[in-house]
Amino acid sequence: MAREPSVGELVKQASEQLSDLVKTEMRTAQAEMMQKGKRAGKGGGLLGAAAAVGYVGLIGVWATVAAALAIVLDVWLAVLIATALFLVLAGVLAALGRAQLKRATPPKPERAIDGVRSDVHEIKERVHR
């Protein structure tokens, strides 16, 4: 007949299992954050390239607007109006971008957090049995 483990042995086993569980969840969180970091890096690089190309395009649009206005106005006034229009547009875009950044949540390892919550819930249920 097998003997029942002592309370000390049970506590030791629970402690080891909890330690293994925490280590596993930390590895999961680390892997998830690395994956998100790689994606964010690629996305940031592509957005930077898009911004550079877009900037060159906006210079062309600005020149076109200024040239069109210069048909009916003095050149200096046409350039001033075109510049003012683009500065207003830049201000609106900056305000919209700032609002979006305020609403952004900090990156976090969501799957790992869900896993820890599930583990804690399971442990609580088993303790209460």
Side-chain angles (χ1 to χ4, degrees):
M1 181 173 183
R3 72 171 183 84
E4 294 284 324
S6 69
V7 172
E9 290 171 331
L10 290 174
V11 169
K12 180 182 175 193
Q13 286 177 358
S15 174
E16 289 171 352
Q17 289 174 353
L18 184 60
S19 176
D20 291 343
L21 181 63
V22 168
K23 288 176 186 175
T24 300
E25 293 297 349
M26 291 299 290
R27 283 192 295 271
T28 300
Q30 182 182 16
E32 186 177 354
M33 292 303 292
M34 284 177 58
Q35 182 183 36
K36 286 184 177 188
K38 286 179 183 177
R39 286 183 183 153
K42 287 178 184 177
L46 290 170
L47 284 174
V53 171
Y55 180 71
V56 172
L58 281 176
I59 291 171
V61 172
W62 171 83
T64 303
V65 169
L69 289 172
I71 294 172
V72 294
L73 301 171
D74 289 334
V75 173
W76 70 269
L77 186 57
V79 171
L80 180 65
I81 292 171
T83 300
L85 288 173
F86 277 90
L87 289 176
V88 168
L89 176 62
V92 169
L93 292 173
L96 291 172
R98 185 170 185 255
Q100 287 296 315
L101 287 174
K102 281 186 174 182
R103 292 177 36 200
T105 58
K108 58 185 177 183
E110 294 165 356
R111 289 188 311 223
I113 290 171
D114 289 343
V116 169
R117 284 186 184 137
S118 173
D119 294 341
V120 168
H121 180 71
E122 181 72 23
I123 290 168
K124 283 182 180 179
E125 280 189 6
R126 289 184 183 222
V127 166
H128 291 296
R129 287 186 198 170

